[in-house]
């Protein structure tokens, strides 16, 4: 069953909202068909309990238009989608944080230990786990509660129904040798302000945030607004976050996504992907089955189709 709700107005690319609603439904059909090929993440046992056939798509435009298809209002586990909002919260409090987290692309998976080793324990960017752990650590330093700061930012920007799922956080903590290894390499190189256990506990809490595709699409408008007026970051910082999202937000698949979709985008192993068209709006799709790079097959296919139909591209 699909539902949609549309506010009045035209998008900034001049297309009437009802045409975008058609595109959203067509994109969702395309995404649902592509989702058949993926697998739900087994990395966090609690996440594998999700219904793999869930599918939600939400579009939010700067002019106030909102489009919802399917499970767009149903909360899902954001996982690495939170890394985007954690970075925004940190840059609000520490505009020079880039020097600690890096801004280069990464050819490796999000959980690579060897890449961190190769670069003297310096993360490549804030979206691989090494960089995200540094973001969480520094945000903890500035706020006293990194997971709380990310939750609050998402609530402020995205609206209601932003929660944390304790079972998912505990499940990840009980099974995560890899992030522990990364945190120890960071600590060995003097890149963490807090102890490994403290940083990991905050990071797992942050990753366990749940929100709907609609809330995430709304929240991502802070990156769509070129003036920086929607969130805590000024226009120059917003441009940089979008640049690094384009080159690193989808991990090893970032180049593929830039080629196929042409939008800055961030994924999570809960099956969510959010993409931004600066000056226009954002789209978030949730579909739990993932490809080998840990990106949702259905969400990527739906966003690719929506971008093609609507002419959304930064190029
Ligand atoms: N919590 C997961 C991890 O740190 C998130 C990974 C992801 O969503 N890509 O490994």
């Amino acid at each position: 069953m699909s539902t949609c709700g549309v506010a009045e107005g035209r998008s900034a690319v001049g297309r009437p909202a009802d045409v975008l609603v058609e595109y959203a439904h067509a994109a969702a059909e395309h995404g649902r068909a592509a989702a058949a090929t993926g697998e739900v993440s087994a990395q966090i046992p609690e996440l594998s309990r999700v219904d793999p056939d869930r599918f939600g798509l939400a579009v939010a435009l700067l002019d106030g238009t909102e489009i919802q298809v399917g499970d767009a209002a149903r909360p899902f586990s954001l996982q690495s989608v939170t890394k985007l909002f954690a970075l925004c919260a940190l840059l609000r409090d520490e505009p020079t944080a880039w020097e600690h987290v890096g801004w280069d692309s990464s050819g490796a998976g999000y959980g690579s230990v060897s890449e961190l080793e190769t670069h003297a324990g310096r993360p490549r960017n804030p979206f691989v786990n090494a960089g995200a752990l540094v973001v969480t650590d520094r945000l903890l330093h500035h706020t006293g509660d990194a997971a709380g700061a990310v939750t609050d930012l998402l609530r402020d920007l995205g609206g209601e129904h932003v929660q944390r799922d304790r079972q998912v956080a505990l499940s990840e903590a009980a099974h995560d040798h890899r992030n522990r290894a990364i945190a120890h390499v960071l600590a060995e190189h003097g890149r963490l302000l807090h102890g490994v256990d403290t940083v990991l506990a905050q990071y797992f809490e942050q990753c366990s945030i749940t929100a709907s595709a609609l809330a995430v699409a709304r929240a991502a408008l802070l990156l769509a607004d070129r003036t920086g007026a929607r969130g805590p970051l000024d226009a120059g910082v917003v441009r940089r976050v979008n640049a690094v999202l384009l080159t690193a937000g989808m991990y090893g698949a970032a180049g593929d996504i830039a080629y196929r979709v042409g939008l800055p985008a961030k994924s999570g192993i809960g099956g969510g992907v959010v993409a931004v068209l600066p000056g226009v709006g954002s789209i978030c799709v949730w579909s739990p089955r993932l490809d080998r790079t840990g990106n949702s097959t259905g969400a990527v296919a739906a966003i690719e189709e929506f971008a093609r139909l609507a002419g959304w591209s930064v190029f």
Side-chain angles (χ1 to χ4, degrees):
M1 274 292 285
S2 296
T3 57
C4 70
V6 188
E8 287 297 306
R10 285 168 179 266
S11 80
V13 286
R15 296 191 187 280
D18 55 352
V19 175
L20 284 187
V21 173
E22 269 174 43
Y23 295 164
H25 281 272
E29 282 317 305
H30 194 78
R32 278 197 184 96
T37 59
E39 298 283 342
V40 170
S41 173
Q43 184 189 314
I44 301 174
E46 190 68 21
L47 279 188
S48 57
R49 293 154 56 101
V50 70
D51 176 353
D53 295 323
R54 289 280 174 205
F55 193 99
L57 181 155
V59 177
L61 304 185
L62 289 169
D63 68 7
T65 302
E66 289 182 346
I67 302 168
Q68 303 180 51
V69 183
D71 296 312
R74 179 179 279 266
F76 63 94
S77 191
L78 298 193
Q79 294 300 319
S80 286
V81 173
T82 64
K83 291 172 179 170
L84 168 57
F85 298 98
L87 175 68
C88 292
L90 177 61
L91 291 171
R92 169 195 65 197
D93 296 338
E94 186 184 352
T96 57
W98 289 114
E99 67 196 62
H100 300 286
V101 300
W103 55 81
D104 293 310
S105 58
S106 156
Y110 56 81
S112 177
V113 184
S114 61
E115 191 173 56
L116 189 60
E117 283 274 85
T118 310
H119 294 91
R122 186 176 190 272
R124 304 305 292 152
N125 63 63
F127 302 131
V128 292
N129 287 11
L133 286 165
V134 170
V135 168
T136 301
D137 175 53
R138 302 194 78 80
L139 190 56
L140 177 61
H141 172 75
H142 292 290
T143 63
D145 179 6
V150 180
T151 308
D152 289 347
L153 181 64
L154 272 161
R155 274 192 193 137
D156 287 351
L157 297 169
E160 75 287 10
H161 305 316
V162 177
Q163 309 283 345
R164 293 217 291 272
D165 187 332
R166 192 98 198 102
Q167 293 312 315
V168 168
L170 291 173
S171 178
E172 178 160 21
H175 293 88
D176 206 334
H177 302 296
R178 183 168 287 276
N179 280 323
R180 186 160 288 278
I182 293 170
H184 278 290
V185 175
L186 289 168
E188 190 202 2
H189 288 272
R191 303 204 185 262
L192 294 180
L193 302 168
H194 302 89
V196 164
D197 289 337
T198 303
V199 175
L200 287 174
Q202 283 276 312
Y203 174 75
F204 298 145
E205 280 285 322
Q206 174 196 307
C207 288
S208 81
I209 293 173
T210 59
S212 67
L214 180 61
V216 174
R218 268 185 201 152
L221 288 178
L222 101 151
L223 296 175
D225 187 342
R226 287 201 170 106
T227 70
R230 300 256 168 173
L233 306 178
D234 70 31
V237 179
V238 165
R239 265 201 299 275
R240 287 202 155 135
V241 173
N242 280 327
V244 180
L245 265 186
L246 185 76
T247 55
M250 302 293 283
Y251 312 119
D256 181 50
I257 301 300
Y259 174 86
R260 284 167 57 192
V261 182
L263 298 172
K266 184 75 209 80
S267 61
I269 57 169
V273 180
V274 61
V276 176
L277 179 58
V280 177
S282 59
I283 176 169
C284 179
V285 180
W286 170 45
S287 171
R289 291 195 179 94
L290 311 179
D291 65 19
R292 286 207 188 120
T293 60
N295 296 323
S296 164
T297 47
V300 168
I303 292 172
E304 181 180 18
E305 182 68 356
F306 181 83
R308 188 183 71 79
L309 291 169
W312 279 29
S313 169
V314 296
F315 302 108

